[in-house]
Amino acid sequence: MRRRTLHWVNTPVLMEAIVRYQQGRLPRSMKLWLENTLEISPKEDSPLLPNRHKS
């Protein structure tokens, strides 16, 4: 098993990357980074963020 190292990630940057990932607006390198960081599969269809309804 490969040993994983922890990296510090800026929360606002990560959140923006997730939003753009779900919208399909990330460059390929950022998409691969996000999938690797969050350990997600590009084939997964479930949303990373819940839908937010504005009142």
Side-chain angles (χ1 to χ4, degrees):
M1 176 182 254
R2 192 173 112 196
R3 187 174 177 176
R4 294 184 57 94
T5 58
L6 295 176
H7 297 278
W8 180 81
V9 179
N10 184 317
T11 301
V13 171
L14 183 60
M15 294 301 292
E16 183 65 24
I18 291 171
V19 169
R20 290 183 185 198
Y21 179 87
Q22 290 186 162
Q23 295 171 344
R25 298 186 315 128
L26 273 184
R28 186 176 188 280
S29 60
M30 279 294 292
K31 181 180 175 190
L32 294 174
W33 171 81
L34 188 64
E35 290 170 353
N36 187 45
T37 300
L38 300 180
E39 297 179 350
I40 57 175
S41 169
K43 297 176 181 120
E44 291 178 16
D45 197 24
S46 58
L48 299 176
L49 296 175
N51 290 331
R52 296 185 199 161
H53 298 3
K54 293 185 180 181
S55 302

